Amino acid sequence: MSNNELWKKFLENMKEVISSTSFDIWFNEEDTKLHSLKNGIATITVAQEITKKHLEEYYMDSMIEAMRKASN
């Protein structure tokens, strides 16, 4: 599976667990992207430091689970 396909599945999984407003703010395609997946570690890039802090503080557990589901 390509990183692009994985990212799409990840985003679909996140849409299931957070509000659509939160999703649109924190996971919009201009600001938040999958950079790489190496040795089971996903690196996600964000446009601003505040986005990084917010994702780490409020969505880390959901993001880990969404990525696990996406990558089987």
Side-chain angles (χ1 to χ4, degrees), residues 15-57:
K15 284 181 184 179
E16 294 176 4
V17 296
I18 65 174
S19 73
S20 59
T21 302
S22 292
F23 181 85
D24 291 343
I25 292 169
W26 300 110
F27 292 94
N28 70 73
E29 63 184 61
E30 293 177 15
D31 295 335
T32 308
K33 299 176 178 148
L34 178 63
H35 176 72
S36 66
L37 180 64
K38 293 180 185 174
N39 300 319
I41 298 173
T43 302
I44 298 170
T45 59
V46 296
Q48 298 180 21
E49 184 67 24
I50 190 145
T51 302
K52 178 184 176 211
K53 288 180 181 182
H54 189 84
L55 294 179
E56 289 176 341
E57 186 170 341

